[in-house]
Amino acid sequence: SDAGITFAYARSIATGAGPVLQPGAEPVEGFSNPAWLAILVLARWVGLFDRGAWFGVPDYVAFPKLLALVMVAGVFACCYAVASAVTRRPVLVTAAAGLVTAAVPSFVIWTVSGLENALLALAVAGIAAVLVRAVVAGRLLDPATAAWCGLLAALAALTRPDGLVYAGAFPLAALLLLHRAELGRAVRAAALSLLVFAVPTGAYLAWRLAVFGQFVPNTAIAKAQGLPG
């Protein structure tokens, strides 16, 4: 499975074999979720992943599922943060959102699948929470808001290739709520957000070119994926 492929890369990197599917193989970027992969590598280093079993359950099953549950809890913490800024009954709104989401089989299945879906959901919910609370408080163009949105967008992009689109979240919000008198401030804030986004994503792209010699993951090449229509 795709999760198993990521697990194999996590083991190879954590044990010093490099970004390979198995020791001795040629380096190929057979994964497209470097942020999730990095978490698994760190977990293996500290003994939480791929080291044994928890109460009879292999830790390569238990740890990703437990981590996903924590991240989903983070998603609903973001929902609560938004609801507390725009409603008088944030607990009720968050509970309703949780019940509706729990009724969506694809969300429930994929967030605990061992893949990066829960991390992507947390990054995107985080962007939404930062933007909504900033707008309500009149802080949308503050440097801190721009920087947090850029950082979370970078996390989304490094979690899954299509997460790249969230780099436009802050600039789009600034454009939609733009006042002519604040044009210069909005441009500076958008530039800051994009810069914060570009630093980690650019660093990973440079590493990809140096190690694999490609601009996109090998998974995209193997599937002959083109640019979005």
Side-chain angles (χ1 to χ4, degrees), residues 95-198:
L99 290 172
V100 171
T101 307
V104 180
S106 58
F107 182 87
V108 175
I109 293 168
W110 284 106
T111 50
V112 294
S113 65
L115 288 169
E116 69 283 350
N117 301 285
L119 181 58
L120 180 66
L122 179 58
V124 175
I127 293 172
V130 170
L131 286 174
V132 172
R133 290 181 64 84
V135 169
V136 171
R139 296 182 286 102
L140 177 62
L141 300 182
D142 284 5
T145 303
W148 272 110
C149 287
L151 189 62
L152 289 168
L155 175 61
L158 293 175
T159 299
R160 203 159 66 193
D162 51 344
L164 185 71
V165 70
Y166 294 103
F170 180 85
L172 181 60
L175 176 63
L176 291 175
L177 300 174
L178 179 64
H179 297 288
R180 183 174 299 179
E182 295 186 318
L183 176 60
R185 189 177 173 215
V187 170
R188 289 191 297 272
L192 174 61
S193 180
L194 293 173
L195 176 62
V196 171
F197 166 82

